[in-house]
């Protein structure tokens, strides 16, 4: 009896949930992507989520999160917002590498450096594995309060990456998406438009294996919030490495 009880207790300890501890660490590296205009109210217009990698001054997000243009005459600029709640800091940001086909962008932010996440191997992700993602599903309406969700990997599936406008859907890109569409993770998880750019990571180590980029919507865009489908998609993290290589190849 005593031995049996000991074995059960040991099994429970081995299977202890590591996500709460991991999420606490990950949240320090998750940031908001916004545009900032001093003459606007509110001055920051939230666009999506991002996360810090590399030397602490590089941020990964979705390409479709980045605005096509900025109102530079009225001093509008792209920014990254870090911190928690209403205790936040604004960092000037610039796009230093991008992949339209994989819906990814790499930003460089002004000092100081922030805690960075480690990139894991997305090739090692298995169907049925449970991961997690952290981001800002409803933006920064009440402040910078990240939300963490569990996500089961349902499939690797071809995905048509969304374009921000019809001008980006040139003949070459349409042909490439039709003949060789990028493979993405289909997740059994409820994400929202504000989660675009959220890191998908392993619950034990926090290693990033994907980037949330789309949610499956039944009906109009408003239905993504009022009637979420519970199906989301994420770009594999291995697609981030070419952007880092491009950035470093340019002498950075």
């Amino acid at each position: 009896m005593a031995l049996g009880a000991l074995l059960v207790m040991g099994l429970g300890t081995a299977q202890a949930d590591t996500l709460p501890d991991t999420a606490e660490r990950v949240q320090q590296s998750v940031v908001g992507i916004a545009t900032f205009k001093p003459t606007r109210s509110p001055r920051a217009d939230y666009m999506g989520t991002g996360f810090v990698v590399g030397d602490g001054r590089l941020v990964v997000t979705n390409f479709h999160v980045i605005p096509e243009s900025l109102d530079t005459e009225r001093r509008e600029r792209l920014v990254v917002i870090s911190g928690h709640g209403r205790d936040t800091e604004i960092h000037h940001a610039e796009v230093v590498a991008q992949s339209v086909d994989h819906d990814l962008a790499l930003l460089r932010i002004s000092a100081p450096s922030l805690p960075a996440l480690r990139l894991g191997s997305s090739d090692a992700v298995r169907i049925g594995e449970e991961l997690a993602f952290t981001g800002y599903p409803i933006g920064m309406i009440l402040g910078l309060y990240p939300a963490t969700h569990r996500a089961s990997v349902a499939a690797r599936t071809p995905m048509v990456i969304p374009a921000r406008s019809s001008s980006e859907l040139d003949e070459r890109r349409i042909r490439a998406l039709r003949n060789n569409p990028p493979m993405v993770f289909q997740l059994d998880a409820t994400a929202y438009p504000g989660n675009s750019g959220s890191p998908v990571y392993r619950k034990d180590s926090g290693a990033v294996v994907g980037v949330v980029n789309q949610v499956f919507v039944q009906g109009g865009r408003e239905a993504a919030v009022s009637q979420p489908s519970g199906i989301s998609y994420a770009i594999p993290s291995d697609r981030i490495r070419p952007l880092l290589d491009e950035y470093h190849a340019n002498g950075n």
Side-chain angles (χ1 to χ4, degrees):
M1 292 287 291
L3 178 59
L6 182 62
L7 289 174
V8 171
M9 290 175 61
L11 182 60
T13 301
Q15 293 182 342
D17 191 356
T18 59
L19 180 56
D21 290 335
T22 304
E24 282 187 9
R25 298 194 308 271
V26 169
Q27 287 177 7
Q28 301 175 44
S29 304
V30 176
V31 296
I33 309 297
T35 61
F36 182 88
K37 186 190 295 186
T39 58
R40 183 173 58 200
S41 181
R43 291 180 294 176
D45 183 13
Y46 174 79
M47 310 297 290
T49 300
F51 58 95
V52 183
V53 298
D55 64 0
R57 291 181 59 190
L58 295 173
V59 173
V60 175
T61 189
N62 287 147
F63 176 77
H64 79 260
V65 164
I66 306 301
E68 290 188 72
S69 61
L70 296 170
D71 187 359
T72 54
E73 290 187 1
R74 291 179 173 82
R75 296 184 293 163
E76 185 180 30
R77 55 196 173 105
L78 180 66
V79 299
V80 163
I81 303 178
S82 65
H84 185 78
R86 296 191 178 278
D87 182 15
T88 59
E89 185 170 358
I90 293 178
H91 309 255
H92 174 71
E94 61 175 327
V95 179
V96 293
Q98 63 189 38
S99 172
V100 178
D101 290 346
H102 292 102
D103 193 24
L104 291 172
L106 184 67
L107 312 181
R108 178 75 172 174
I109 63 172
S110 57
S113 297
L114 300 172
L117 296 180
R118 181 173 65 86
L119 297 181
S121 172
S122 52
D123 284 344
V125 173
R126 303 178 66 189
I127 305 304
E129 184 174 354
E130 189 175 80
L131 306 170
F133 62 89
T134 298
Y136 303 105
I138 60 170
M140 299 180 292
I141 297 174
L142 302 177
L144 215 57
Y145 296 98
T148 295
H149 302 269
R150 298 172 189 270
S152 177
V153 182
R156 285 179 182 262
T157 181
M159 187 67 177
V160 174
I161 303 301
R164 297 177 303 187
S165 68
S166 59
S167 63
E168 293 176 0
L169 290 175
D170 58 31
E171 183 179 349
R172 181 204 63 80
R173 188 168 184 233
I174 293 174
R175 185 168 56 251
L177 291 173
R178 182 184 297 120
N179 298 333
N180 187 30
M183 299 297 289
V184 297
F185 296 125
Q186 179 182 318
L187 306 175
D188 284 340
T190 300
Y192 298 91
N195 278 121
S196 291
S198 297
V200 181
Y201 54 90
R202 297 194 180 280
K203 297 189 301 177
D204 55 351
S205 66
V208 177
V209 293
V211 185
V212 173
N213 87 305
Q214 280 198 72
V215 296
F216 179 73
V217 178
Q218 301 180 32
R221 180 180 174 83
E222 294 77 11
V225 176
S226 61
Q227 297 177 317
S229 66
I231 300 174
S232 304
Y233 298 93
I235 307 298
S237 63
D238 287 348
R239 304 280 68 80
I240 298 172
R241 290 188 171 86
L243 297 186
L244 294 171
D245 293 341
E246 178 185 338
Y247 170 73
H248 292 303
N250 290 331
N252 299 299

